[in-house]
Every structure is written in structure tokens, then in C-alpha cells.
Amino acid sequence: MPTISFVLDGRPRVEEVVPGERVSDLLVRLGARGIRKGCDHHGQCGACTILLDGRTVPSCLLLAPQIHGRDVTTIEAFSRPRVLSALQSALVDCGVVQCGYCTPAMVLALEDLLARVAEPGRAEVTDALSGVFCRCTGYEQVFGAVALARARLRDPAFAGSPAPEFREDLLHVGKVRRKVDGALLARGGRAFVEDRVEPGTCHLKMLGSPHAHAWIADIDTSAAEALPGVIRVFTWRNTPALTYTTAGQSWPEPSPYDRRMFARKVRHVGDRVAAVLAETPEIAEEALGRIRVSWEVLPPVFTPEEAAAEGAPCLHSGPLSFLTGAPADLDARNADADPRDEGIHYCVPIHADPRRNVAASVSGGIGDVARGFAEADVVLDRTYSGGHVQCTPLEPHVVLTRMDGDRLLIHASTQVPFHLRRIVSRILGVPETRVRVVKEHTGGAFGAKQDMVVEDVAAWATWVTGRPALWRYTREEEFVAARTRHPMTIRVRLGATRDGRLTAIEMDVRANTGPYGGHCLTVPMNACSKSLPLFLCDNVHFEVTSYYTDIPPTGAYQGYGAPKGSFALQLAAAEMADALGIDPLAFLERNRVREGSMLEILRCLGEGREGRAQRVSSCGLGPALERGAARIGWGRREAPGRPHVRIGKGVAIVQQGSGLPGVDAANAAVTQNGDGTFLVHSGGTDLGTGLDTVVAKVVAECLQVPMDHVAVLAADTDVTPFDAGAYASSGTFFSGGAALRAAERMRDLLLDAAARLLDEPRDGLAIAFPGEVRGPRGTVDFERIARATQSGTGSGQLVAWGSFVTDEASFPYGAHFAEVEVDTGTGAVTVRRYAAVQDAGTPINPELALGQVYGGILKTIGHSLWEEMRFDSEGRCLNPTLRDYRVPMIGDLPPDVYAELVCTDDPVGPYGAKSVAEISCNGAAPAIAAAIHDAVGVWIRDWPFTPEKVLRALGSL
Ligand code: FES
């Protein structure tokens, strides 16, 4: 093997290299930290960035000999124990370090910039980060972080706050406190699944279907099995025959059990055919090429219209079964079941009709819509649609499984460790005690990792072979076989009086759930339940139908159906305002929800079970509209200065929920250490959004101790109590709520113990900072309480549990404003300015909350203007790379993006907190579409709003 010599982080190295070895692979082999992989060696994500002779390069594009004689710098060079550089600390403090998967690359690129340019401006920062993809942050806070780093370099005592703070009455909550895992991530520390891989780990690779719809007539794996280094080949013949849903939802899941690990039928291009477990990824790849498959190809369907057509090919033809609510004619329905098909099991009835490709359906409403339309002076009937977008977390789906004695250990990048354990245990046929799931840091999730995408196969492979297994999706697999947002077509009918009062609303949602029914009921229902309650209207009706088709699988994606529903209903409202000749902002103000409003419509929107009407406990929509309008200059017409360019403004109001009341639950425990500090065991799943910091803050707040007196251990099914997981905007509300309950109980225990030690009545005692109990006659600190209770004569170590369940809903609200420029010559739409003002209750982590709003804005500007998966007529994805799909890079950021938080004190959430992240995805599409109309007078009702669609609407194509 050839030998190269180079300098790595200041130390000379001489290494033998494998012919063809990439520098990124070499560095990972040598144990370098922070060399991440977000694309398939295409140099498109920048996660493997290094400094080569002081300049940034993606190391996956270099072959090892190209660094011979050169100087290589990785994040290691900027990573000193317990100390962060000025830049690293600024990135953490400004909320730029969310999941942290891109952070080493960002640090290197910006350290390089700061070394070259004394006072970098926005253009220089944009240029420096132009090759680094970050899906979490939306980049905007990077500019502030660089400025803060410069200020700290000039003056190490610089004390300026990187973000606005809230709630003067509170010590930590609402204040900028360093993210508890921020330093680890800023140093590129070992935190992700890939960092747990040990020598001897085997590799899984999947053979994906070339057909969108086909039976596997025969499959021959003998040549693959004969290849040296192949451990096992898995197909439908040697894997469990039971069906399940991959949707990580609370049991009983509303999603149908309609897939098995490997089926005899494939239902989309890229669907599972066979998997190889081998000693190396190269052997696994070669073995895949030796598998021979005979196909019985079937005609596919790709749209709800095709799926619903008379005589359409049926995707699921197996027998149906029900845990509860079986229909009376079940035997008749099963009479024509195909024995080759695995069948579908329903935990709850979801009004499906698989023989007609209907995966789920529901309808409901309040009042009398016929009367409402009869009362209206204007009735408007419009149809809106949206395409197929991908979550694109920078870290693809990845899992590492290994045996720990006779138990299975799963290192997972997941949103739902406890649901994952439940589903995997059932597949393996073992009690949950035999399976442990450790949630590692996730390199971005956004809903995509609510589903069990890779864990079932890896778990089975390790369970039956005893060998550790790593399975990591390629970026192409991420596009064709992970999870995407449901495409939907939504018809909206609105009725309104001449003076702008809504009298009737009808929504008919047709969703494309793809080959399997994960989230097939709940996502399209959310399109209704997160949009209809924004308007106070007495007569409302909705219909939801979800269809099986042969597109890549759909699932959860930040917003969970709400972005599509919001686009349809908010744009329809803008169209109605236009038809009535009323200012759109005034129309929203006239009809919008308010604090105290009773939301009767939610009685019909219970996600597979009975819903519950909810009263709005807090609502910051009024100030959000007011401040957003001021920021965007609502009513002021901007002069473009170029004859073929027009400028327009649009507005949308948005809402989301805070977890699933009556469905989900969270638990936590607070234990006192011997020195009086605390360890929190939280079931909550931090996805990089700062949940562990929320947990630490609410406990430190409640117990009045410094932040570093609280450590958080989270999301390990062996160690931490049950939590439903991080989805449905539940983290702060549910997991934070459980931590607060546990802390409140700990406070009671501390007061009881102090009363005994001080020999005073408990009633006169109070907790005080920095961790003591004060009474009229004396004070005892927490350490003395701990030493006393944990002594041989004590009452025992103080441990407090907290559970959070609720039937009350807390809704975050927001107002989003866009100002766009439309080029009437090219049809190009450019967002010039964007303002999002959101009511998140009490923002517990203000800088991270703002970061999630910025992230949501840029994601959905991408969805609105250009992001879309494209397919050929056979169902093959034509753009399965980050560049061809075109994820937003820092250069796509509008020049003026503004996010602001309105603080309301919600009565249910911890310290008045509500959710903040998902809601930020609901405003861009309707606000931009309305702005396009304001600019050029055309309504684009299908997103993304591509130049072709704009030109066609203008009559120029
Ligand atoms: Fe950049 Fe997550 S923080 S990808």
C-alpha cells in the first residue's frame, strides 16, 4: 500500500493508504473527530470540511495522496478540554449549534475567515459558509455569532447578550444560558451513532426495488451468500412475517400495520428487496449485485386520482384484521384477499378501504355549512396543491445494533426511543426488557426520525447473527426510501359577508400517503386541525381521504400536515379578502381566534379517537400581527427601480399544538447528589433543539440553583423513564412539564428535610438561590440536606418523580409576513424580506427558540420556491442528491429575515411555555403566494412557485 506523509492538527503523520481512499475516510479511520458525512461523497454538504494548508475544502473530494506533504487541520485543533474558542462559544450562545452535525465544518470555515479577515461582514460570512449545508438553523444567527466572536476577541469581558431575554421574574427560564451539550458539539465531540462504532462491526446494505409496483416471483441469494465476508442475506423468506407500522406513535397507533420487514410485494422504487450483512461495506455492496430477482411487474399508481380511479391497481390486497372496531362485513371484505400479501391490521378503525387504495378517511364539522354559505355574500371555491418534499436531515438515517450479553442494544438516531423499543421487541418476539435503545445525538430529524426506518432490519440482523451491525442510509436512499411530506390537494370553499365575516368553511383534503400508511390519517387531519381553528366561524366541515400510491414513503415532517392546510386556508382567506376588496390583514384581524375562544371544531379532530373542544388559554396573535406589520411596512408600496420587476407583500397567521393532549405522556426523575446538586433522568428526546437545556433550566429554576448544579441524562430506555418522544411539538410542553413536576416534588422533599434539620415548621420555609432553605430562625443548604438524608441515620436519598399528562391543549400562534420581488420577464420570485413574529408562551431558551424559527423559515422558503422531488413515468426519483433537489444554502437566505418572540404566560406549559419550532413552517407558502399576487396580480395555487408557474399564470408561457 502506498505511504503518505502529512501534518494532521500540528502533528506529523506517516500513513499507509488504501488505493482510491478518500481523505474523509482516511481521517475517520485515523480517529479524527468531526468528519461528518451528509452526502454520497459529492462535496455537496460540506460536513467533512477540513482546512488544507489553511483553506477550507470538503475532504470527501480529495484522494489520500493529494494531502501528501500538506497541512491538514480538523476541529481537533480548535478543541481544548473545557475551553471553547471565542467563535465556538459565540456559535453556541447565539443558538447556531442545534443538532451540531454541521458545527465542526462551520467552526473550521469561520475560524479560517476570522484568521483572514479582521472584520468580516455579511458578504464575507456568506462566502465562507457557502459550501456548508445546515438544515437546522436557517443560518441567520451565524452573522450575529461572528460579530459576537469578534467582540469577545477584542474584549474577553464583553458581556453583550446574544438574544432577547424574557420574564424578569425568573432566574434561568427565558434567559440565555449555554446549551447543556453546546460545548461537546462545538468541539466536534463524540456524540453521534457513528461515533459508537467499534472494530469488528458489520455493515448492512439494502437492495432496493427497481420497480414501483411488482411481486417478487423468485429471489436467488446463493451467489451473494457464497461471497467471503458475507454474514447473512435477508429476504422475505427468513425474516418475521408479522406486520407493523414504522410510524413511531403512541400505542394503540392510528397508523395501520401494513408492512413487514421484507414483503413479497414491492410498492415503490427503492422498496426493500433483500439486505446483506457483511464484514465490510464493500463486500456488502458486491453481494447485492449477486442477488437475482424474478419480477412480476404490476402497473403502478402515483396520484390520488390514479389510485381512486375505477379498476385502479390495488396496492394492498391481503386480509384485514382489527384490534377494535372491526366492521360487520369483515369476512366479506376478506373474501378476495390475496394470500401472498401480508395483510393489514388496524389497532383502531380509520375508515380505510384498501381494495380501493383508501388508506384512511374521516369527516366532521360543526354548525350547518349549507346555512353558512346561504348567509354569505361571496362564496369562493379554490383548490390548492403541494408537491413532494424531503426532510433532508444532514445526518442520514443511521443505526448501530449490538448484543450486550443476551440483550439487544440499539444506538439510535431517533425521535422515539420508547416507541422504537416497543416495536422492535414485538418484531423480535421478546419482552421489552431484552431490548435497550440509547438515543444518541441526532444530526437533524425534523419528523423523519419519528419513523423506524432502519432499526428493524439492523435489530433483526444482530439478533439472529449475534454480530454488531451498522446501517447508514446513503443520501440517495434518504430520498427514495426514508420519509417525505405527504403531497396533498386541498379544496377550500369559503363563504363571507360583504363586510368580511366568515360564514362557512369547507375543506376537502386528498392526501397521497404513498406505499404504506404511516401517519396516513393523522398528517392530513392535522392539515385541518392546525388551520381551521385559526378562524372563528360557526359553520365548518372537513373531509380527509388518504390514498395508497407507489411514490416513496411519506411520514412526519416538521409541521405534520399543517403547512399544507395552512397554505390552502390562508391563501383562500387572502383570495376572499381580495374578492371583498378588504385589506388581507384586516380580514385576518376580523376573523381570527382570540384568547378565550372556544374551539368546538377540535371535538371532531381527535386523531383516531374522540377529540375534545378546547378553550384558547393564551393567544399572542394580536401583538404578533401588529409587530410583524410594522416590521414589514404593511401598506407601504415599495418601488422596485427596475421596469420588469414588481414588489408585493403577503401575510398569514399560523398555529400549531404543544404535544398531543390525552394521547402522549412524559416522565422524569430528579435525584439529589451527595453535594446537594441534582441529576435529572428525563425520558425526553432532544433532537438538537435544546430540550435537555429546557429540562435543566426548569429544574434549576424550580430548585433555585445554578445551572451547573443540574445534569441531565436523557432518552435511554434502560435508565430513564418513559416518554412518548419528540414529535407533535411536545418536547418543551410534555418533557419539560414532567421535569418541572419532578422538581416540584423534590422541592417538597427538600422542605420536609429542612424542617426536620432546622426543627422549624415546614410552612415557614422557602427555597432560595443558590440552593438553600431559609426559615425564620435559620438556613440550611442543599449539601447539608443531602449529607443528612444520605447518612446512616438519614431518611434516604431524595428522589422525586414527575409525570406529565394533560387533556388541556396549548396553542402557539404566529404571524408571518413576506415581501417578494417578481421578475415578470423570467418569472423568478425572490424573497426580499421576511418577518415572523411568534407567540411561544414563555420562551425558555430564547436563542434556540429563535434559531428554530429561522430554521423553519428558510426550510419553507425552499419548499415554497424550489424544493421538490421529481419523478419519471416509472416512479424513479430524478433528483436524489442535495444539489439536484436543491436544499437551501446560506446564499439562499433573503437579505432581511427577522424573527421575534411574543411572550405569553400559558397556564398549562412549564413556566408558561408553549411549542415553537413546527409552527414556523406554516407561514412561508401562503405569505409568499399572497405576496406574489400583491406584486403581479396572479394566484399561484400549487407550490413550489417556480418561474414556469408564474410565467404561465401571467400568460407568458
Ligand atoms: Fe446545522 Fe443541525 S445545526 S445541520
Side-chain angles (χ1 to χ4, degrees):
M1 285 200 288
T3 300
I4 63 169
S5 54
F6 59 103
V7 175
L8 178 59
D9 295 322
R11 290 193 205 94
R13 301 289 295 243
V14 179
E15 298 292 340
E16 286 188 335
V17 297
V18 181
E21 188 169 21
R22 297 166 196 277
V23 169
S24 53
D25 294 337
L26 170 68
L27 294 174
V28 169
R29 182 161 65 78
L30 296 179
R33 296 204 316 237
I35 306 294
R36 304 297 178 196
K37 187 177 170 194
C39 64
D40 299 337
H41 294 135
H42 293 150
Q44 296 175 353
C45 71
C48 61
T49 292
I50 57 170
L51 298 181
L52 185 62
D53 295 337
R55 303 308 299 267
T56 55
V57 289
S59 58
C60 71
L61 293 184
L62 297 171
L63 293 176
Q66 290 178 278
I67 61 170
H68 179 65
R70 303 180 74 177
D71 195 280
V72 173
T73 303
T74 71
I75 189 72
E76 190 87 41
F78 298 95
S79 302
R80 287 172 294 155
R82 291 181 295 283
V83 179
L84 294 181
S85 72
L87 175 70
Q88 286 169 318
S89 65
L91 288 170
V92 177
D93 294 344
C94 288
V96 178
V97 179
Q98 289 192 29
C99 82
Y101 204 70
C102 70
T103 302
M106 270 200 192
V107 169
L108 285 166
L110 294 173
E111 292 282 9
D112 170 44
L113 174 69
L114 289 171
R116 289 184 286 111
V117 183
E119 296 292 342
R122 200 171 169 100
E124 283 97 347
V125 173
T126 300
D127 181 56
L129 284 187
S130 59
V132 178
F133 170 49
C134 174
R135 193 55 147 168
C136 298
T137 66
Y139 310 103
E140 178 62 31
Q141 289 163 307
V142 173
F143 303 108
V146 172
L148 182 61
R150 285 297 311 150
R152 287 178 175 171
L153 285 169
R154 276 194 303 270
D155 173 10
F158 179 78
S161 178
E165 297 191 328
F166 301 89
R167 297 285 304 262
E168 281 179 11
D169 57 318
L170 298 176
L171 178 66
H172 301 299
V173 166
K175 313 299 178 298
V176 177
R177 299 281 184 269
R178 191 158 288 177
K179 190 172 189 263
V180 294
D181 54 352
L184 171 78
L185 297 170
R187 287 192 202 103
R190 302 196 187 284
F192 298 92
V193 170
E194 64 207 31
D195 298 324
R196 310 296 178 215
V197 177
E198 292 176 353
T201 298
C202 300
H203 297 260
L204 270 165
K205 292 277 179 187
M206 182 66 67
L207 181 67
S209 168
H211 302 293
H213 195 194
W215 288 106
I216 298 172
D218 195 16
I219 184 163
D220 179 359
T221 57
S222 55
E225 283 157 346
L227 189 67
V230 169
I231 312 297
R232 194 75 63 93
V233 179
F234 301 99
T235 68
W236 67 270
R237 289 200 175 101
N238 60 355
T239 50
L242 84 168
T243 58
Y244 48 90
T245 174
T246 64
Q249 297 171 301
S250 288
W251 189 89
E253 299 103 320
S255 295
Y257 291 8
D258 60 5
R259 68 184 301 165
R260 51 176 284 187
M261 193 178 294
F262 292 88
R264 293 174 69 178
K265 194 186 216 191
V266 292
R267 297 180 175 89
H268 68 97
V269 172
D271 205 356
R272 293 172 177 178
V273 176
V276 172
L277 181 72
E279 302 282 359
T280 69
E282 293 78 17
I283 295 171
E285 198 74 55
E286 187 182 340
L288 291 182
R290 295 181 175 212
I291 297 171
R292 298 287 166 257
V293 186
S294 305
W295 297 100
E296 184 185 326
V297 178
L298 304 167
V301 291
F302 297 119
T303 65
E305 293 72 32
E306 290 172 7
E310 196 60 39
C314 173
L315 270 79
H316 291 269
S317 48
L320 312 180
S321 60
F322 289 77
L323 179 68
T324 57
D329 63 345
L330 183 58
D331 289 344
R333 287 200 197 194
N334 282 335
D336 63 347
D338 188 328
R340 291 178 296 175
D341 206 337
E342 54 270 19
I344 303 179
H345 180 72
Y346 298 95
C347 291
V348 294
I350 54 174
H351 312 290
D353 186 354
R355 302 295 186 268
R356 290 174 45 240
N357 292 321
V358 175
S361 64
V362 65
S363 62
I366 55 171
D368 180 345
V369 282
R371 197 182 64 213
F373 284 118
E375 279 175 19
D377 297 310
V378 176
V379 174
L380 180 143
D381 187 343
R382 299 285 185 269
T383 299
Y384 305 90
S385 55
H388 207 166
V389 294
Q390 227 279 333
C391 310
T392 65
L394 181 54
E395 175 203 49
H397 285 79
V398 60
V399 65
L400 171 67
T401 48
R402 60 187 170 89
M403 295 305 296
D404 181 13
D406 63 353
R407 301 178 75 221
L408 179 71
L409 174 55
I410 303 176
H411 297 274
S413 179
T414 179
Q415 297 176 224
V416 287
F418 289 89
H419 295 337
L420 182 58
R421 180 178 66 168
R422 185 190 74 234
I423 300 169
V424 167
S425 302
R426 179 173 166 263
I427 292 170
L428 300 185
V430 301
E432 290 186 19
T433 51
R434 299 286 295 278
V435 178
R436 176 184 183 185
V437 177
V438 178
K439 193 276 304 182
E440 304 292 350
H441 275 71
T442 60
F446 316 120
K449 293 175 183 172
Q450 186 184 345
D451 268 53
M452 180 184 66
V453 172
V454 289
E455 292 87 352
D456 52 348
V457 179
W460 180 253
T462 291
W463 189 255
V464 298
T465 67
R467 302 292 301 271
L470 176 72
W471 189 15
R472 181 191 174 93
Y473 260 12
T474 63
R475 182 54 63 182
E476 180 168 353
E477 284 175 317
E478 196 68 21
F479 274 98
V480 303
R483 300 294 179 266
T484 55
R485 203 190 284 298
H486 292 67
M488 288 185 208
T489 300
I490 303 177
R491 181 179 172 195
V492 178
R493 289 181 74 218
L494 294 183
T497 56
R498 217 175 314 279
D499 62 352
R501 180 176 61 87
L502 277 169
T503 58
I505 306 176
E506 246 183 15
M507 277 181 94
D508 183 0
V509 178
R510 303 284 163 110
N512 187 341
T513 198
Y516 303 103
H519 312 270
C520 65
L521 174 74
T522 43
V523 161
M525 270 188 90
N526 224 38
C528 301
S529 62
K530 301 298 184 290
S531 60
L532 290 170
L534 276 162
F535 292 125
L536 300 176
C537 180
D538 294 335
N539 307 300
V540 179
H541 182 76
F542 66 88
E543 302 265 348
V544 168
T545 318
S546 207
Y547 290 92
Y548 285 119
T549 72
D550 296 297
I551 64 168
T554 58
Y557 188 2
Q558 200 170 10
Y560 203 75
K564 296 272 165 101
S566 177
F567 171 60
L569 194 52
Q570 290 294 310
L571 199 56
E575 294 205 45
M576 177 59 89
D578 184 60
L580 294 168
I582 296 175
D583 177 85
L585 190 56
F587 185 80
L588 295 177
E589 188 57 52
R590 163 101 207 241
N591 291 287
R592 73 170 173 85
V593 68
R594 285 167 163 74
E595 188 166 313
S597 301
M598 195 66 188
L599 305 177
E600 294 289 343
I601 187 67
L602 294 179
R603 205 186 294 282
C604 332
L605 288 158
E607 301 207 343
R609 62 187 78 192
E610 199 175 333
R612 182 172 185 265
Q614 296 280 352
R615 189 172 297 284
V616 176
S617 51
S618 61
C619 177
L621 258 181
L625 281 164
E626 203 174 301
R627 293 182 208 174
R631 172 78 194 186
I632 208 81
W634 189 258
R636 196 172 63 223
R637 182 93 14 224
E638 312 292 335
R642 284 166 291 164
H644 56 287
V645 169
R646 303 279 184 277
I647 293 174
K649 294 173 184 171
V651 58
I653 53 175
V654 292
Q655 75 150 93
Q656 200 75 28
S658 298
L660 299 174
V663 176
D664 287 333
N667 296 275
V670 177
T671 304
Q672 191 180 33
N673 300 317
D675 63 353
T677 60
F678 299 95
L679 174 63
V680 187
H681 287 82
S682 164
T685 305
D686 191 341
L687 306 176
T689 48
L691 177 58
D692 289 350
T693 310
V694 166
V695 166
K697 269 187 186 173
V698 299
V699 171
E701 184 75 49
C702 179
L703 299 178
Q704 290 293 292
V705 293
M707 285 287 289
D708 63 0
H709 284 206
V710 178
V712 179
L713 209 159
D716 176 335
T717 59
D718 262 19
V719 178
T720 61
F722 173 81
D723 187 294
Y727 58 89
S729 296
S730 63
T732 294
F733 194 74
F734 271 80
S735 307
L740 179 56
R741 296 243 166 117
E744 287 168 344
R745 290 208 176 115
M746 173 56 75
R747 187 176 57 196
D748 290 342
L749 294 176
L750 289 164
L751 290 170
D752 288 343
R756 287 194 295 272
L757 287 169
L758 293 169
D759 197 19
E760 290 193 51
R762 188 184 182 281
D763 289 352
L765 304 180
I767 297 271
F769 187 81
E772 56 190 30
V773 178
R774 291 180 195 157
R777 297 201 303 270
T779 294
V780 57
D781 64 31
F782 286 179
E783 177 168 2
R784 198 176 138 214
I785 294 174
R787 300 291 179 215
T789 53
Q790 293 177 26
S791 75
T793 57
S795 55
Q797 185 176 20
L798 301 189
V799 180
W801 286 81
S803 293
F804 187 84
V805 293
T806 182
D807 284 333
E808 305 294 324
S810 290
F811 305 103
Y813 292 100
H816 283 215
F817 294 77
E819 179 183 287
V820 307
E821 184 177 289
V822 182
D823 187 319
T824 56
T826 64
V829 178
T830 310
V831 178
R832 287 160 49 102
R833 296 199 293 154
Y834 198 98
V837 185
Q838 290 187 192
D839 155 25
T842 298
I844 293 184
N845 299 329
E847 78 287 11
L848 288 161
L850 282 169
Q852 284 156 66
V853 177
Y854 283 120
I857 291 170
L858 189 59
K859 263 187 220 99
T860 44
I861 286 177
H863 298 163
S864 301
L865 294 183
W866 60 77
E867 285 186 49
E868 187 175 33
M869 291 173 70
R870 297 172 191 277
F871 300 92
D872 69 10
S873 59
E874 307 295 315
R876 287 181 286 259
C877 182
L878 296 171
N879 54 344
T881 68
L882 294 177
R883 182 165 298 156
D884 293 338
Y885 173 77
R886 210 190 140 197
V887 289
M889 305 295 280
I890 192 170
D892 295 309
L893 190 62
D896 180 358
V897 180
Y898 175 77
E900 182 181 333
L901 300 173
V902 172
C903 183
T904 58
D905 190 2
D906 190 81
V908 188
Y911 291 105
K914 301 191 277 193
S915 76
V916 69
E918 285 199 279
I919 182 178
S920 59
C921 292
N922 299 347
I928 292 172
I932 293 171
H933 176 264
D934 188 47
V936 293
V938 297
W939 297 105
I940 312 291
R941 303 188 182 99
D942 177 48
W943 55 340
F945 315 130
T946 59
E948 292 83 356
K949 289 178 192 169
V950 173
L951 289 178
R952 199 166 290 123
L954 288 170
S956 304
L957 266 190

